[in-house]
Short mmCIF file of all heavy atoms in Angstrom, two decimals:
data_model
loop_
_atom_site.label_atom_id
_atom_site.label_comp_id
_atom_site.label_asym_id
_atom_site.label_seq_id
_atom_site.Cartn_x
_atom_site.Cartn_y
_atom_site.Cartn_z
N MET A 14 0.86 -1.23 -0.05
CA MET A 14 -0.01 -0.05 -0.06
C MET A 14 0.82 1.27 0.02
O MET A 14 0.42 2.26 0.38
CB MET A 14 -0.92 -0.04 1.27
CG MET A 14 -1.98 -1.08 1.19
SD MET A 14 -2.93 -1.03 -0.24
CE MET A 14 -4.52 -1.34 0.47
N ALA A 15 2.08 1.17 -0.49
CA ALA A 15 2.93 2.32 -0.35
C ALA A 15 2.66 3.29 -1.48
O ALA A 15 2.77 4.54 -1.29
CB ALA A 15 4.39 1.82 -0.53
N SER A 16 2.33 2.85 -2.64
CA SER A 16 2.05 3.78 -3.73
C SER A 16 0.60 3.87 -4.08
O SER A 16 -0.16 2.90 -3.92
CB SER A 16 2.82 3.36 -4.98
OG SER A 16 2.37 2.05 -5.40
N PRO A 17 0.14 5.11 -4.41
CA PRO A 17 -1.27 5.27 -4.79
C PRO A 17 -1.56 4.57 -6.10
O PRO A 17 -0.68 4.20 -6.85
CB PRO A 17 -1.38 6.78 -4.89
CG PRO A 17 -0.02 7.21 -5.28
CD PRO A 17 0.89 6.27 -4.54
N PRO A 18 -2.84 4.29 -6.36
CA PRO A 18 -3.19 3.55 -7.60
C PRO A 18 -3.10 4.51 -8.81
O PRO A 18 -3.93 5.32 -9.14
CB PRO A 18 -4.71 3.34 -7.32
CG PRO A 18 -5.14 4.27 -6.35
CD PRO A 18 -3.98 4.55 -5.48
N GLY A 19 -1.85 4.43 -9.40
CA GLY A 19 -1.60 5.33 -10.54
C GLY A 19 -2.33 4.87 -11.66
O GLY A 19 -2.49 3.71 -11.92
N ASP A 20 -2.67 5.79 -12.51
CA ASP A 20 -3.41 5.38 -13.75
C ASP A 20 -2.57 5.70 -14.98
O ASP A 20 -3.13 5.87 -16.04
CB ASP A 20 -4.80 6.15 -13.86
CG ASP A 20 -4.59 7.65 -13.67
OD1 ASP A 20 -3.44 8.06 -13.64
OD2 ASP A 20 -5.63 8.32 -13.63
N GLY A 21 -1.29 5.79 -14.77
CA GLY A 21 -0.46 5.91 -15.89
C GLY A 21 -0.04 7.31 -16.27
O GLY A 21 1.14 7.61 -16.31
N ASP A 22 -1.03 8.16 -16.51
CA ASP A 22 -0.76 9.54 -16.83
C ASP A 22 -1.18 10.56 -15.80
O ASP A 22 -2.35 10.46 -15.38
CB ASP A 22 -1.41 9.89 -18.17
CG ASP A 22 -2.89 9.69 -18.15
OD1 ASP A 22 -3.35 8.87 -17.29
OD2 ASP A 22 -3.56 10.39 -18.85
N ARG A 23 -0.28 11.37 -15.40
CA ARG A 23 -0.70 12.38 -14.39
C ARG A 23 -1.20 13.57 -15.15
O ARG A 23 -0.54 14.07 -16.04
CB ARG A 23 0.54 12.75 -13.42
CG ARG A 23 1.09 11.55 -12.76
CD ARG A 23 2.41 11.93 -12.05
NE ARG A 23 2.94 10.69 -11.49
CZ ARG A 23 2.65 10.25 -10.24
NH1 ARG A 23 1.73 10.83 -9.54
NH2 ARG A 23 3.13 9.20 -9.75
N ASP A 24 -2.36 14.05 -14.85
CA ASP A 24 -3.00 15.10 -15.60
C ASP A 24 -2.57 16.52 -15.08
O ASP A 24 -3.11 17.43 -15.57
CB ASP A 24 -4.46 14.94 -15.62
CG ASP A 24 -5.12 14.79 -14.30
OD1 ASP A 24 -4.29 14.98 -13.27
OD2 ASP A 24 -6.30 14.57 -14.24
N GLY A 25 -1.70 16.53 -14.09
CA GLY A 25 -1.24 17.80 -13.69
C GLY A 25 -2.24 18.82 -13.31
O GLY A 25 -2.03 20.00 -13.51
N SER A 26 -3.34 18.40 -12.79
CA SER A 26 -4.46 19.37 -12.47
C SER A 26 -3.95 20.14 -11.22
O SER A 26 -3.24 19.67 -10.39
CB SER A 26 -5.72 18.61 -12.16
OG SER A 26 -6.19 17.91 -13.34
N PRO A 27 -4.48 21.33 -11.16
CA PRO A 27 -4.17 22.10 -9.99
C PRO A 27 -4.88 21.57 -8.72
O PRO A 27 -5.17 20.42 -8.62
CB PRO A 27 -4.72 23.53 -10.26
CG PRO A 27 -5.71 23.32 -11.41
CD PRO A 27 -5.22 22.11 -12.12
N ALA A 28 -5.02 22.38 -7.70
CA ALA A 28 -5.46 22.01 -6.39
C ALA A 28 -6.47 20.95 -6.27
O ALA A 28 -6.49 20.19 -5.34
CB ALA A 28 -5.85 23.25 -5.59
N GLU A 29 -7.47 20.98 -7.16
CA GLU A 29 -8.60 20.13 -6.88
C GLU A 29 -8.41 18.78 -7.54
O GLU A 29 -9.42 18.07 -7.71
CB GLU A 29 -9.87 20.81 -7.51
CG GLU A 29 -10.12 22.09 -6.79
CD GLU A 29 -11.52 22.62 -7.17
OE1 GLU A 29 -12.38 21.89 -7.74
OE2 GLU A 29 -11.79 23.76 -6.73
N SER A 30 -7.20 18.40 -7.84
CA SER A 30 -7.02 17.07 -8.52
C SER A 30 -7.40 15.92 -7.51
O SER A 30 -7.41 14.81 -7.91
CB SER A 30 -5.53 16.97 -9.03
OG SER A 30 -4.71 17.07 -7.90
N ARG A 31 -7.58 16.23 -6.25
CA ARG A 31 -7.87 15.13 -5.35
C ARG A 31 -9.34 14.83 -5.26
O ARG A 31 -9.80 14.10 -4.43
CB ARG A 31 -7.35 15.50 -3.94
CG ARG A 31 -5.79 15.57 -3.86
CD ARG A 31 -5.22 14.24 -4.11
NE ARG A 31 -4.85 14.11 -5.52
CZ ARG A 31 -4.53 12.98 -6.13
NH1 ARG A 31 -4.39 11.80 -5.42
NH2 ARG A 31 -4.33 12.89 -7.38
N SER A 32 -10.08 15.50 -6.05
CA SER A 32 -11.50 15.20 -6.04
C SER A 32 -11.96 15.12 -7.48
O SER A 32 -11.39 15.66 -8.41
CB SER A 32 -12.33 16.26 -5.35
OG SER A 32 -12.36 17.51 -6.03
N VAL A 33 -13.01 14.29 -7.68
CA VAL A 33 -13.54 14.27 -9.05
C VAL A 33 -15.01 14.77 -9.04
O VAL A 33 -15.68 14.64 -8.09
CB VAL A 33 -13.51 12.78 -9.58
CG1 VAL A 33 -12.11 12.33 -9.75
CG2 VAL A 33 -14.28 11.82 -8.57
N VAL A 34 -15.44 15.27 -10.17
CA VAL A 34 -16.73 15.84 -10.29
C VAL A 34 -17.46 15.15 -11.38
O VAL A 34 -16.99 15.06 -12.41
CB VAL A 34 -16.63 17.34 -10.53
CG1 VAL A 34 -18.08 17.99 -10.58
CG2 VAL A 34 -15.77 18.04 -9.52
N CYS A 35 -18.71 14.74 -11.13
CA CYS A 35 -19.44 14.16 -12.18
C CYS A 35 -19.70 15.18 -13.28
O CYS A 35 -20.14 16.28 -13.04
CB CYS A 35 -20.85 13.74 -11.60
SG CYS A 35 -21.93 13.06 -12.88
N GLY A 36 -19.37 14.78 -14.50
CA GLY A 36 -19.43 15.71 -15.62
C GLY A 36 -20.92 16.03 -16.03
O GLY A 36 -21.12 16.84 -16.88
N ARG A 37 -21.82 15.43 -15.37
CA ARG A 37 -23.26 15.62 -15.76
C ARG A 37 -23.98 16.25 -14.65
O ARG A 37 -24.59 17.36 -14.86
CB ARG A 37 -23.91 14.30 -16.08
CG ARG A 37 -25.30 14.45 -16.73
CD ARG A 37 -25.81 13.12 -17.09
NE ARG A 37 -27.08 13.34 -17.83
CZ ARG A 37 -28.21 12.54 -17.64
NH1 ARG A 37 -28.13 11.59 -16.81
NH2 ARG A 37 -29.19 12.81 -18.37
N CYS A 38 -24.07 15.70 -13.48
CA CYS A 38 -24.85 16.26 -12.44
C CYS A 38 -23.99 17.13 -11.42
O CYS A 38 -24.58 17.88 -10.65
CB CYS A 38 -25.62 15.20 -11.63
SG CYS A 38 -24.56 14.15 -10.61
N GLY A 39 -22.74 17.01 -11.56
CA GLY A 39 -21.83 17.84 -10.75
C GLY A 39 -21.59 17.36 -9.35
O GLY A 39 -20.92 18.08 -8.55
N ILE A 40 -22.03 16.22 -9.03
CA ILE A 40 -21.73 15.69 -7.64
C ILE A 40 -20.29 15.45 -7.48
O ILE A 40 -19.52 15.00 -8.49
CB ILE A 40 -22.50 14.34 -7.36
CG1 ILE A 40 -22.46 13.98 -5.93
CG2 ILE A 40 -22.02 13.22 -8.21
CD1 ILE A 40 -23.35 12.77 -5.61
N ARG A 41 -19.72 15.60 -6.32
CA ARG A 41 -18.28 15.47 -6.14
C ARG A 41 -17.94 14.19 -5.38
O ARG A 41 -18.77 13.71 -4.54
CB ARG A 41 -17.71 16.67 -5.41
CG ARG A 41 -17.94 17.98 -6.11
CD ARG A 41 -17.37 19.08 -5.27
NE ARG A 41 -15.94 19.16 -5.44
CZ ARG A 41 -15.34 19.97 -6.32
NH1 ARG A 41 -16.00 20.67 -7.19
NH2 ARG A 41 -14.02 19.91 -6.41
N SER A 42 -16.81 13.67 -5.57
CA SER A 42 -16.37 12.49 -4.92
C SER A 42 -14.84 12.61 -4.67
O SER A 42 -14.12 13.14 -5.50
CB SER A 42 -16.68 11.23 -5.71
OG SER A 42 -16.06 10.09 -5.02
N ALA A 43 -14.38 11.95 -3.60
CA ALA A 43 -12.98 12.01 -3.35
C ALA A 43 -12.24 11.17 -4.43
O ALA A 43 -12.85 10.17 -4.89
CB ALA A 43 -12.69 11.48 -1.92
N GLU A 44 -11.03 11.42 -4.62
CA GLU A 44 -10.15 10.70 -5.54
C GLU A 44 -9.54 9.51 -4.75
O GLU A 44 -9.07 9.71 -3.64
CB GLU A 44 -9.04 11.53 -6.08
CG GLU A 44 -8.14 10.89 -7.07
CD GLU A 44 -8.66 11.05 -8.51
OE1 GLU A 44 -8.80 12.23 -8.93
OE2 GLU A 44 -8.98 10.06 -9.14
N PRO A 45 -9.54 8.34 -5.29
CA PRO A 45 -10.17 7.92 -6.62
C PRO A 45 -11.66 7.76 -6.44
O PRO A 45 -12.13 7.45 -5.34
CB PRO A 45 -9.51 6.62 -6.93
CG PRO A 45 -9.17 6.00 -5.56
CD PRO A 45 -8.86 7.14 -4.66
N PRO A 46 -12.44 7.93 -7.50
CA PRO A 46 -13.91 7.80 -7.42
C PRO A 46 -14.22 6.31 -7.19
O PRO A 46 -13.49 5.40 -7.41
CB PRO A 46 -14.41 8.33 -8.79
CG PRO A 46 -13.14 8.11 -9.67
CD PRO A 46 -11.99 8.29 -8.79
N PRO A 47 -15.41 6.03 -6.69
CA PRO A 47 -15.86 4.71 -6.54
C PRO A 47 -15.89 3.89 -7.82
O PRO A 47 -15.95 4.50 -8.93
CB PRO A 47 -17.27 4.82 -5.93
CG PRO A 47 -17.45 6.24 -5.47
CD PRO A 47 -16.46 7.05 -6.27
N LEU A 48 -15.80 2.60 -7.70
CA LEU A 48 -15.76 1.84 -8.93
C LEU A 48 -17.03 1.94 -9.75
O LEU A 48 -17.05 1.58 -10.96
CB LEU A 48 -15.59 0.34 -8.55
CG LEU A 48 -14.22 -0.05 -7.94
CD1 LEU A 48 -14.14 -1.44 -7.51
CD2 LEU A 48 -13.07 0.35 -8.90
N THR A 49 -18.00 2.43 -9.11
CA THR A 49 -19.32 2.53 -9.90
C THR A 49 -19.25 3.72 -10.71
O THR A 49 -20.16 3.90 -11.59
CB THR A 49 -20.53 2.72 -8.86
OG1 THR A 49 -20.13 3.70 -7.88
CG2 THR A 49 -20.75 1.41 -8.11
N TRP A 50 -18.28 4.63 -10.55
CA TRP A 50 -18.19 5.79 -11.42
C TRP A 50 -17.55 5.34 -12.73
O TRP A 50 -16.81 4.41 -12.81
CB TRP A 50 -17.37 6.89 -10.75
CG TRP A 50 -18.08 7.64 -9.76
CD1 TRP A 50 -18.77 7.20 -8.73
CD2 TRP A 50 -18.13 9.10 -9.62
NE1 TRP A 50 -19.37 8.17 -7.97
CE2 TRP A 50 -18.84 9.44 -8.53
CE3 TRP A 50 -17.48 10.10 -10.31
CZ2 TRP A 50 -19.11 10.82 -8.14
CZ3 TRP A 50 -17.69 11.44 -9.99
CH2 TRP A 50 -18.54 11.71 -8.83
N THR A 51 -17.83 6.09 -13.78
CA THR A 51 -17.31 5.83 -15.10
C THR A 51 -16.39 7.04 -15.48
O THR A 51 -16.68 8.14 -15.18
CB THR A 51 -18.45 5.75 -16.14
OG1 THR A 51 -19.21 4.56 -15.75
CG2 THR A 51 -17.92 5.54 -17.54
N CYS A 52 -15.32 6.61 -16.05
CA CYS A 52 -14.33 7.56 -16.57
C CYS A 52 -14.33 7.46 -18.11
O CYS A 52 -14.15 6.46 -18.71
CB CYS A 52 -12.97 7.38 -16.02
SG CYS A 52 -11.75 8.45 -16.72
N SER A 53 -14.48 8.66 -18.75
CA SER A 53 -14.38 8.60 -20.22
C SER A 53 -13.43 9.83 -20.65
O SER A 53 -13.43 10.82 -19.93
CB SER A 53 -15.64 8.75 -20.92
OG SER A 53 -16.25 9.99 -20.80
N VAL A 54 -12.80 9.63 -21.74
CA VAL A 54 -11.94 10.74 -22.22
C VAL A 54 -12.53 11.26 -23.55
O VAL A 54 -12.76 10.56 -24.52
CB VAL A 54 -10.52 10.23 -22.45
CG1 VAL A 54 -9.64 11.35 -22.97
CG2 VAL A 54 -9.92 9.67 -21.18
N GLU A 55 -12.77 12.55 -23.45
CA GLU A 55 -13.39 13.11 -24.64
C GLU A 55 -12.57 14.42 -24.99
O GLU A 55 -12.31 15.26 -24.21
CB GLU A 55 -14.84 13.63 -24.35
CG GLU A 55 -15.74 12.44 -23.98
CD GLU A 55 -17.04 12.87 -23.45
OE1 GLU A 55 -17.29 14.09 -23.34
OE2 GLU A 55 -17.92 12.05 -23.14
N HIS A 56 -12.09 14.48 -26.21
CA HIS A 56 -11.28 15.53 -26.66
C HIS A 56 -10.10 15.77 -25.83
O HIS A 56 -9.59 16.86 -25.54
CB HIS A 56 -12.08 16.86 -26.72
CG HIS A 56 -13.36 16.82 -27.50
ND1 HIS A 56 -13.32 16.54 -28.89
CD2 HIS A 56 -14.63 16.81 -27.07
CE1 HIS A 56 -14.55 16.50 -29.26
NE2 HIS A 56 -15.44 16.66 -28.27
N GLY A 57 -9.58 14.61 -25.35
CA GLY A 57 -8.41 14.67 -24.51
C GLY A 57 -8.63 15.04 -23.07
O GLY A 57 -7.66 15.23 -22.29
N VAL A 58 -9.93 15.28 -22.68
CA VAL A 58 -10.18 15.65 -21.33
C VAL A 58 -10.88 14.54 -20.63
O VAL A 58 -11.84 13.98 -21.12
CB VAL A 58 -11.12 16.95 -21.34
CG1 VAL A 58 -11.49 17.35 -19.89
CG2 VAL A 58 -10.47 18.09 -22.05
N ARG A 59 -10.37 14.19 -19.52
CA ARG A 59 -10.92 13.12 -18.72
C ARG A 59 -12.20 13.66 -18.00
O ARG A 59 -12.18 14.60 -17.27
CB ARG A 59 -9.91 12.58 -17.75
CG ARG A 59 -10.44 11.40 -17.03
CD ARG A 59 -9.37 10.82 -16.04
NE ARG A 59 -8.15 10.54 -16.86
CZ ARG A 59 -7.03 10.21 -16.16
NH1 ARG A 59 -6.97 10.20 -14.94
NH2 ARG A 59 -6.01 10.01 -16.95
N ARG A 60 -13.24 12.86 -18.15
CA ARG A 60 -14.51 13.23 -17.46
C ARG A 60 -14.95 12.04 -16.66
O ARG A 60 -14.83 10.83 -17.06
CB ARG A 60 -15.53 13.71 -18.41
CG ARG A 60 -15.00 14.77 -19.39
CD ARG A 60 -16.07 15.26 -20.30
NE ARG A 60 -17.15 15.94 -19.57
CZ ARG A 60 -17.94 16.84 -20.13
NH1 ARG A 60 -17.84 17.02 -21.39
NH2 ARG A 60 -18.88 17.40 -19.46
N HIS A 61 -15.54 12.31 -15.46
CA HIS A 61 -16.09 11.26 -14.70
C HIS A 61 -17.54 11.38 -14.57
O HIS A 61 -18.17 12.51 -14.61
CB HIS A 61 -15.48 11.31 -13.26
CG HIS A 61 -14.03 10.98 -13.25
ND1 HIS A 61 -13.06 11.83 -13.52
CD2 HIS A 61 -13.41 9.76 -12.96
CE1 HIS A 61 -11.89 11.30 -13.44
NE2 HIS A 61 -12.02 9.97 -13.14
N PHE A 62 -18.28 10.29 -14.44
CA PHE A 62 -19.72 10.32 -14.28
C PHE A 62 -20.10 9.39 -13.10
O PHE A 62 -19.58 8.30 -12.97
CB PHE A 62 -20.38 9.86 -15.55
CG PHE A 62 -20.05 10.69 -16.69
CD1 PHE A 62 -19.12 10.21 -17.69
CD2 PHE A 62 -20.63 11.97 -16.87
CE1 PHE A 62 -18.86 11.07 -18.80
CE2 PHE A 62 -20.29 12.75 -17.97
CZ PHE A 62 -19.39 12.33 -18.85
N CYS A 63 -20.99 9.87 -12.26
CA CYS A 63 -21.39 9.12 -11.14
C CYS A 63 -22.20 7.92 -11.56
O CYS A 63 -22.58 7.74 -12.79
CB CYS A 63 -22.16 9.95 -10.17
SG CYS A 63 -23.82 10.34 -10.73
N GLU A 64 -22.48 7.01 -10.62
CA GLU A 64 -23.17 5.81 -10.96
C GLU A 64 -24.46 6.01 -11.76
O GLU A 64 -24.76 5.36 -12.87
CB GLU A 64 -23.48 4.99 -9.68
CG GLU A 64 -24.19 3.69 -9.99
CD GLU A 64 -24.42 2.89 -8.77
OE1 GLU A 64 -24.10 3.39 -7.66
OE2 GLU A 64 -24.84 1.73 -8.88
N ALA A 65 -25.25 6.91 -11.22
CA ALA A 65 -26.59 7.20 -11.86
C ALA A 65 -26.40 7.77 -13.30
O ALA A 65 -27.06 7.38 -14.21
CB ALA A 65 -27.44 8.16 -10.90
N CYS A 66 -25.52 8.72 -13.40
CA CYS A 66 -25.31 9.34 -14.69
C CYS A 66 -24.65 8.40 -15.68
O CYS A 66 -25.00 8.36 -16.83
CB CYS A 66 -24.53 10.62 -14.54
SG CYS A 66 -25.37 11.87 -13.69
N ALA A 67 -23.72 7.60 -15.15
CA ALA A 67 -23.01 6.71 -16.00
C ALA A 67 -23.99 5.67 -16.62
O ALA A 67 -23.81 5.35 -17.84
CB ALA A 67 -21.97 5.92 -15.19
N ARG A 68 -24.94 5.30 -15.84
CA ARG A 68 -25.84 4.25 -16.33
C ARG A 68 -26.68 4.85 -17.48
O ARG A 68 -26.90 4.24 -18.55
CB ARG A 68 -26.81 3.91 -15.29
CG ARG A 68 -27.63 2.65 -15.53
CD ARG A 68 -28.56 2.33 -14.44
NE ARG A 68 -27.85 2.23 -13.11
CZ ARG A 68 -28.20 2.74 -12.05
NH1 ARG A 68 -29.30 3.51 -11.99
NH2 ARG A 68 -27.55 2.66 -10.89
N GLU A 69 -27.04 6.18 -17.36
CA GLU A 69 -27.84 6.78 -18.39
C GLU A 69 -26.96 7.12 -19.55
O GLU A 69 -27.40 7.21 -20.66
CB GLU A 69 -28.41 8.08 -17.82
CG GLU A 69 -29.42 7.80 -16.75
CD GLU A 69 -30.50 8.85 -16.59
OE1 GLU A 69 -30.51 9.70 -17.53
OE2 GLU A 69 -31.33 8.77 -15.64
N ASN A 70 -25.69 7.35 -19.31
CA ASN A 70 -24.79 7.76 -20.44
C ASN A 70 -24.14 6.65 -21.14
O ASN A 70 -23.36 6.78 -22.09
CB ASN A 70 -23.69 8.73 -19.81
CG ASN A 70 -24.33 9.92 -19.37
OD1 ASN A 70 -25.28 10.45 -19.98
ND2 ASN A 70 -23.72 10.63 -18.34
N LEU A 71 -24.37 5.43 -20.61
CA LEU A 71 -23.69 4.27 -21.19
C LEU A 71 -23.89 4.22 -22.68
O LEU A 71 -22.95 3.96 -23.45
CB LEU A 71 -24.13 2.99 -20.47
CG LEU A 71 -23.27 1.83 -20.78
CD1 LEU A 71 -21.85 2.08 -20.42
CD2 LEU A 71 -23.85 0.57 -20.02
N ARG A 72 -25.05 4.40 -23.03
CA ARG A 72 -25.34 4.32 -24.44
C ARG A 72 -24.58 5.39 -25.26
O ARG A 72 -24.03 5.19 -26.35
CB ARG A 72 -26.86 4.46 -24.79
CG ARG A 72 -27.63 3.29 -24.29
CD ARG A 72 -29.13 3.60 -24.39
NE ARG A 72 -29.47 4.78 -23.53
CZ ARG A 72 -30.72 5.28 -23.52
NH1 ARG A 72 -31.57 4.93 -24.48
NH2 ARG A 72 -30.96 6.30 -22.81
N ALA A 73 -24.56 6.64 -24.71
CA ALA A 73 -23.82 7.73 -25.31
C ALA A 73 -22.38 7.41 -25.46
O ALA A 73 -21.76 7.63 -26.44
CB ALA A 73 -24.12 8.99 -24.55
N ILE A 74 -21.82 6.93 -24.34
CA ILE A 74 -20.40 6.61 -24.28
C ILE A 74 -20.10 5.51 -25.34
O ILE A 74 -19.14 5.60 -26.14
CB ILE A 74 -20.00 6.11 -22.90
CG1 ILE A 74 -20.06 7.31 -21.93
CG2 ILE A 74 -18.57 5.59 -23.02
CD1 ILE A 74 -19.84 6.96 -20.50
N GLU A 75 -20.93 4.47 -25.40
CA GLU A 75 -20.69 3.44 -26.29
C GLU A 75 -20.96 3.94 -27.79
O GLU A 75 -20.29 3.41 -28.65
CB GLU A 75 -21.64 2.26 -26.05
CG GLU A 75 -21.30 1.62 -24.69
CD GLU A 75 -22.14 0.39 -24.43
OE1 GLU A 75 -23.28 0.35 -25.02
OE2 GLU A 75 -21.82 -0.44 -23.63
N GLY A 76 -21.78 4.93 -27.93
CA GLY A 76 -22.00 5.49 -29.19
C GLY A 76 -20.95 6.49 -29.66
O GLY A 76 -21.07 7.10 -30.68
N ARG A 77 -19.97 6.68 -28.68
CA ARG A 77 -18.84 7.60 -28.92
C ARG A 77 -19.36 9.06 -29.20
O ARG A 77 -18.91 9.81 -29.99
CB ARG A 77 -18.03 7.22 -30.15
CG ARG A 77 -17.45 5.79 -29.94
CD ARG A 77 -16.53 5.38 -31.08
NE ARG A 77 -15.40 6.32 -31.17
CZ ARG A 77 -14.32 6.15 -30.45
NH1 ARG A 77 -14.20 5.20 -29.50
NH2 ARG A 77 -13.27 6.97 -30.59
N LEU A 78 -20.46 9.40 -28.56
CA LEU A 78 -20.97 10.79 -28.73
C LEU A 78 -20.34 11.61 -27.63
O LEU A 78 -20.01 11.24 -26.53
CB LEU A 78 -22.50 10.80 -28.48
CG LEU A 78 -23.26 9.98 -29.51
CD1 LEU A 78 -24.70 9.97 -29.09
CD2 LEU A 78 -23.17 10.63 -30.88
N ASP A 79 -20.21 12.87 -27.91
CA ASP A 79 -19.69 13.87 -26.97
C ASP A 79 -20.79 14.11 -25.93
O ASP A 79 -21.99 13.99 -26.27
CB ASP A 79 -19.36 15.20 -27.64
CG ASP A 79 -18.26 15.01 -28.62
OD1 ASP A 79 -17.49 14.09 -28.52
OD2 ASP A 79 -18.08 15.88 -29.48
N SER A 80 -20.40 14.47 -24.76
CA SER A 80 -21.31 14.78 -23.70
C SER A 80 -21.95 16.14 -23.83
O SER A 80 -22.84 16.49 -23.06
CB SER A 80 -20.75 14.56 -22.32
OG SER A 80 -19.58 15.28 -22.28
N ASP A 81 -21.43 16.91 -24.73
CA ASP A 81 -21.92 18.30 -24.78
C ASP A 81 -23.34 18.48 -25.22
O ASP A 81 -24.02 19.44 -24.97
CB ASP A 81 -21.00 19.06 -25.83
CG ASP A 81 -19.56 19.10 -25.36
OD1 ASP A 81 -19.36 19.04 -24.22
OD2 ASP A 81 -18.72 19.29 -26.27
N TRP A 82 -23.90 17.49 -25.78
CA TRP A 82 -25.23 17.51 -26.30
C TRP A 82 -26.27 17.43 -25.23
O TRP A 82 -27.50 17.59 -25.49
CB TRP A 82 -25.47 16.49 -27.47
CG TRP A 82 -25.31 15.13 -26.99
CD1 TRP A 82 -24.20 14.40 -27.10
CD2 TRP A 82 -26.40 14.30 -26.53
NE1 TRP A 82 -24.57 13.04 -26.61
CE2 TRP A 82 -25.81 12.97 -26.37
CE3 TRP A 82 -27.81 14.46 -26.34
CZ2 TRP A 82 -26.60 11.93 -25.87
CZ3 TRP A 82 -28.52 13.37 -25.87
CH2 TRP A 82 -27.95 12.07 -25.61
N TRP A 83 -25.89 16.94 -24.07
CA TRP A 83 -26.92 16.70 -22.99
C TRP A 83 -27.63 18.02 -22.62
O TRP A 83 -27.04 18.90 -22.26
CB TRP A 83 -26.33 16.17 -21.76
CG TRP A 83 -25.68 14.77 -22.06
CD1 TRP A 83 -26.10 13.87 -23.03
CD2 TRP A 83 -24.63 14.14 -21.39
NE1 TRP A 83 -25.24 12.77 -22.90
CE2 TRP A 83 -24.37 12.93 -21.92
CE3 TRP A 83 -23.87 14.62 -20.25
CZ2 TRP A 83 -23.39 12.09 -21.43
CZ3 TRP A 83 -22.82 13.83 -19.84
CH2 TRP A 83 -22.57 12.51 -20.41
ZN1 ZN B 29 -23.86 12.38 -11.91
#
């Protein structure tokens, strides 16, 4: 348990990098987010979605649609 669960690339975010925000409803969670959260990368930007939103967005994510249309 010496090292944190690295995900390969450090995104160099400023102060708030220790929390994640749902890209849809805006709910916040500590880093790392629960396994029920979904992470997707759109236009090179990592976005997280909470369990409820992820479920609704699953089709959109699989359809490779941008989340901007919501
Ligand atoms: Zn949400």
